[in-house]
Amino acid sequence: MKTCLVLEGGALRGIYTAGVLDELIKDKIEIDTIIGVSMGSLIGINYKSNQPNRAIRYNLKYCQNKNYISYSSFIKTGDVVNKKFAYEEIPNSLDPFDYDTYNHSPIKFYCTVTNIETGQAEYIEIKDAKEETEYLRAGASMPGLSKIVEIDNKKYLDGGIADSIPVKKAIEMGYDKIIVVLTRPIEYRKKKSKLRFLQSLYKDYPNFQKTIEKRNATYNQTVEEIIKLENDNKIFVIRPSKKVPIKRIEKNKRIIKEQYELGKTDYKSKRDALKKYLER
């Protein structure tokens, strides 16, 4: 039996996922592969490095720091998530990431990115977390709030634009058991965004424009498919049991902690059902 963990993004909504994963680590649930999207990737790497509590710790500590995630950073650098602070100073010195444990773990980890020239999702296996940090950064680079990330002559942005919840990818990869962690309640459906600004910003990338334009429809269709798969007991879903009013760039530590604790609580309420699903 092979088990895959699929992690939705959602900027700081993703701290919900940190609560779920910290409980999964505590329960020693065996996972063979993780497919992360955007913040889901940035949170999920801590599962493979076996560092519970790390994601909530540094997000609470630095959420109000203008050098972390802020419009101040966007104005200064062109990236709402400050590259130097978030991807270098935090993991390398302020709250060290365990690269050695990550790199030697048998768990496979895939980061979802959107190729803006093709408009399609790509799933990059991150074998060396330090050497391949740029893919993680690319996969979490929000359109309109981040510069395009170029790697090996390919141009990338947020993986959630092309594939917000890569359940189909996990099924295609042949996994027997798929655990999906969502960051929106079951009733949420994405509304069509005001696209004029983004259409203008990415006028040189028509395929990406088309992907952006149909994103809400694609997302909502995926949610409906997930509900059906869940009802048929083909996948196991953990999602917020209620809505916490958390912003993508949240500065309120109380709200961030509430979202994290909700993840822990929702996992615990489903713990027995999850174990039965994995044993079946």
Side-chain angles (χ1 to χ4, degrees), residues 8-14 37-40 42 59 68-75 77-83 86-87 111-114 116 134-149 155-162 164 183-184 190 193 197-198 201-202 208 212 215 246-251:
E8 184 181 10
L12 274 173
R13 280 200 323 276
V37 180
S38 194
M39 189 64 157
L42 302 182
N59 275 288
Y68 181 37
I69 304 175
S70 69
Y71 290 111
S72 174
S73 171
F74 175 68
I75 292 168
T77 69
D79 286 304
V80 71
V81 180
N82 188 287
K83 176 183 176 180
Y87 294 99
C111 172
T112 307
V113 295
T114 298
I116 68 168
E134 278 294 271
Y135 282 112
L136 294 168
R137 188 171 77 86
S141 291
M142 294 179 278
L145 292 174
S146 309
K147 291 185 288 189
I148 295 168
V149 179
K155 297 177 179 180
Y156 296 116
L157 281 172
D158 196 317
I161 302 301
S164 295
T183 58
R184 296 280 198 182
K190 191 176 290 295
S193 303
F197 168 68
L198 291 179
L201 189 61
Y202 300 108
F208 187 56
I212 291 173
R215 188 191 179 198
I246 186 168
K247 301 182 183 74
R248 288 194 302 174
I249 305 173
E250 184 59 66
K251 301 297 183 182

Side-chain angles (χ1 to χ4, degrees), residues 92-109:
N92 295 333
S93 59
L94 298 177
D95 197 323
F97 181 76
D98 190 341
Y99 292 105
D100 189 61
T101 295
Y102 178 97
N103 293 345
H104 289 89
S105 167
I107 299 172
K108 290 187 175 183
F109 190 97

Side-chain angles (χ1 to χ4, degrees), residues 14-23 43 53 55-56 181 260 263-264:
I15 206 68
Y16 175 88
T17 302
V20 174
L21 297 191
D22 285 352
E23 292 298 319
I43 297 291
N53 305 313
I56 183 62
V181 182
Y260 172 76
K264 292 168 72 82

Side-chain angles (χ1 to χ4, degrees), residues 58 67-69 81-91:
Y58 72 72
N67 293 319
Y68 181 37
I69 304 175
V81 180
N82 188 287
K83 176 183 176 180
K84 181 173 175 52
F85 190 80
Y87 294 99
E88 296 175 18
E89 292 181 20
I90 289 178

Side-chain angles (χ1 to χ4, degrees), residues 20-273:
V20 174
L21 297 191
D22 285 352
E23 292 298 319
L24 280 171
I25 292 175
K26 193 181 297 182
D27 282 351
K28 298 181 179 179
I29 301 295
E30 292 187 11
I31 302 295
D32 297 290
T33 296
I34 298 171
I35 306 176
V37 180
S38 194
M39 189 64 157
S41 291
L42 302 182
I43 297 291
I45 58 172
N46 295 290
Y47 188 96
K48 185 173 176 178
S49 68
N50 194 31
Q51 289 179 278
N53 305 313
R54 179 175 178 270
I56 183 62
R57 183 172 62 240
Y58 72 72
N59 275 288
L60 283 177
K61 187 171 184 179
Y62 299 114
C63 66
Q64 296 176 351
N65 188 318
K66 64 182 180 180
N67 293 319
Y68 181 37
I69 304 175
S70 69
Y71 290 111
S72 174
S73 171
F74 175 68
I75 292 168
K76 287 182 179 178
T77 69
D79 286 304
V80 71
V81 180
N82 188 287
K83 176 183 176 180
K84 181 173 175 52
F85 190 80
Y87 294 99
E88 296 175 18
E89 292 181 20
I90 289 178
N92 295 333
S93 59
L94 298 177
D95 197 323
F97 181 76
D98 190 341
Y99 292 105
D100 189 61
T101 295
Y102 178 97
N103 293 345
H104 289 89
S105 167
I107 299 172
K108 290 187 175 183
F109 190 97
Y110 292 88
C111 172
T112 307
V113 295
T114 298
N115 183 317
I116 68 168
E117 293 175 312
T118 67
Q120 300 297 309
E122 294 182 14
Y123 310 90
I124 310 298
E125 184 176 2
I126 308 298
K127 296 179 180 180
D128 188 315
K130 191 164 190 175
E131 294 298 319
E132 297 169 307
T133 296
E134 278 294 271
Y135 282 112
L136 294 168
R137 188 171 77 86
S141 291
M142 294 179 278
L145 292 174
S146 309
K147 291 185 288 189
I148 295 168
V149 179
E150 189 166 343
I151 307 171
D152 294 335
N153 297 316
K154 289 186 176 184
K155 297 177 179 180
Y156 296 116
L157 281 172
D158 196 317
I161 302 301
D163 193 354
S164 295
I165 316 167
V167 172
K168 280 187 179 179
K169 182 63 178 178
I171 293 172
E172 288 172 5
M173 292 170 75
Y175 288 97
D176 307 290
K177 301 293 180 181
I178 300 171
I179 305 168
V180 184
V181 182
L182 304 179
T183 58
R184 296 280 198 182
I186 193 168
E187 65 274 8
Y188 175 80
R189 297 296 180 275
K190 191 176 290 295
K191 296 178 181 178
K192 195 171 184 66
S193 303
K194 294 179 181 179
L195 303 172
R196 189 172 298 173
F197 168 68
L198 291 179
Q199 294 285 25
S200 173
L201 189 61
Y202 300 108
K203 59 182 170 39
D204 296 330
Y205 305 98
N207 291 322
F208 187 56
Q209 286 182 324
K210 291 175 185 176
T211 300
I212 291 173
E213 187 174 351
K214 64 182 182 180
R215 188 191 179 198
N216 74 302
T218 302
Y219 180 90
N220 294 340
Q221 182 182 349
T222 300
V223 169
E224 296 298 339
E225 290 170 354
I226 285 172
I227 291 172
K228 186 178 186 306
L229 289 166
E230 180 184 18
N231 290 338
D232 291 341
N233 293 315
K234 292 182 178 178
I235 65 174
F236 192 91
V237 181
I238 302 172
R239 60 169 67 81
S241 56
K242 66 177 183 179
K243 181 180 178 180
V244 173
I246 186 168
K247 301 182 183 74
R248 288 194 302 174
I249 305 173
E250 184 59 66
K251 301 297 183 182
N252 189 314
K253 293 185 179 184
R254 179 189 60 79
I255 292 176
I256 292 172
K257 188 72 186 305
E258 182 181 354
Q259 180 82 337
Y260 172 76
E261 291 297 335
L262 182 63
K264 292 168 72 82
T265 300
D266 287 346
Y267 169 80
K268 290 174 183 177
S269 72
K270 289 199 162 192
R271 175 189 281 132
D272 292 342

